[in-house]
Amino acid sequence: TKSNMIFELSKADLFFDYMLVVGNKSVDCIVQESKVACPTNELGLEQGEPYTFVLKQTLGGTSQQLFAESLTTITSAELESSSITEGQVIYDTPLSAQLTFSKPLVRATGVKLLQGDIEVPTTNTTDGKVVSITWASPLERQKSFTIQVNSVLAEDGGYLEQPALVNFSTSGGPKV
């Protein structure tokens, strides 16, 4: 996961240090009054996997276990469908595409329409599970394009494991 795991203490702690242990990896946690924040991104955890989390309180060379619980990390957000599908040849002249993800989204970033290495000017919006991308004029004929979404953040904290890509091409247009 990419966010901190937060533990609430019954009162502020000015004396002890805290460590989160998962498997054979551990991270030092930050104490902020009565909260202990542990940066889980340093643990290299996979999304949607079970782990045993152990919170240890330390002072000098001694430590005691405060918490040990088996938890499953949040599953990733996945691209489920797109109004333009992977490998599709487009015969008409759409000015937008909608990509539907597996979870309601808070935001999507790095949303692009690429013609090779050239970025086509676009705007995009996120509404629930759908990211809409719009371009101003019909796409060039007989060209290859890629819709790219670099990252999303789902309402439950899930994110893309890797950028979502939809490759498609445009036809040569009508023949007379």
Side-chain angles (χ1 to χ4, degrees):
T1 68
K2 293 184 177 182
S3 53
N4 290 340
M5 185 172 244
I6 309 289
F7 296 92
E8 188 78 36
L9 303 174
S10 59
K11 61 182 179 179
D13 186 349
L14 303 174
F15 301 103
F16 293 99
D17 292 319
Y18 293 83
M19 174 189 308
L20 183 64
V21 180
V22 179
N24 62 354
K25 295 181 180 178
S26 65
V27 291
D28 292 327
C29 302
I30 300 162
V31 180
Q32 298 171 326
E33 297 179 17
S34 63
K35 292 184 180 177
V36 177
C38 305
T40 57
N41 60 332
E42 297 174 24
L43 297 171
L45 304 176
E46 297 292 325
Q47 294 187 89
E49 295 294 325
Y51 295 96
T52 299
F53 292 82
V54 177
L55 182 65
K56 292 185 175 183
Q57 183 183 57
T58 63
L59 182 62
T62 62
S63 70
Q64 75 175 26
Q65 181 176 304
L66 297 181
F67 173 91
E69 191 71 36
S70 180
L71 303 170
T72 299
T73 54
I74 295 169
T75 57
S76 61
E78 303 289 334
L79 177 62
E80 286 189 331
S81 64
S82 176
S83 60
I84 297 175
T85 59
E86 177 65 29
Q88 182 177 358
V89 176
I90 305 293
Y91 293 96
D92 58 358
T93 55
L95 296 176
S96 68
Q98 291 71 43
L99 286 73
T100 303
F101 289 84
S102 58
K103 300 177 174 202
L105 304 177
V106 174
R107 68 175 172 269
T109 58
V111 180
K112 301 175 184 178
L113 175 61
L114 301 168
Q115 180 184 335
D117 292 335
I118 301 166
E119 188 171 341
V120 177
T122 61
T123 58
N124 66 82
T125 59
T126 302
D127 184 19
K129 294 180 174 185
V130 178
V131 174
S132 297
I133 182 169
T134 305
W135 46 94
S137 58
L139 300 174
E140 236 184 290
R141 289 291 177 196
Q142 291 185 306
K143 299 291 179 180
S144 296
F145 295 88
T146 301
I147 298 171
Q148 177 177 320
V149 179
N150 286 335
S151 68
V152 300
L153 177 61
E155 288 178 358
D156 69 359
Y159 56 92
L160 287 174
E161 292 281 344
Q162 59 192 17
L165 304 173
V166 178
N167 296 294
F168 67 97
S169 59
T170 52
S171 71
K175 302 285 186 218
V176 180

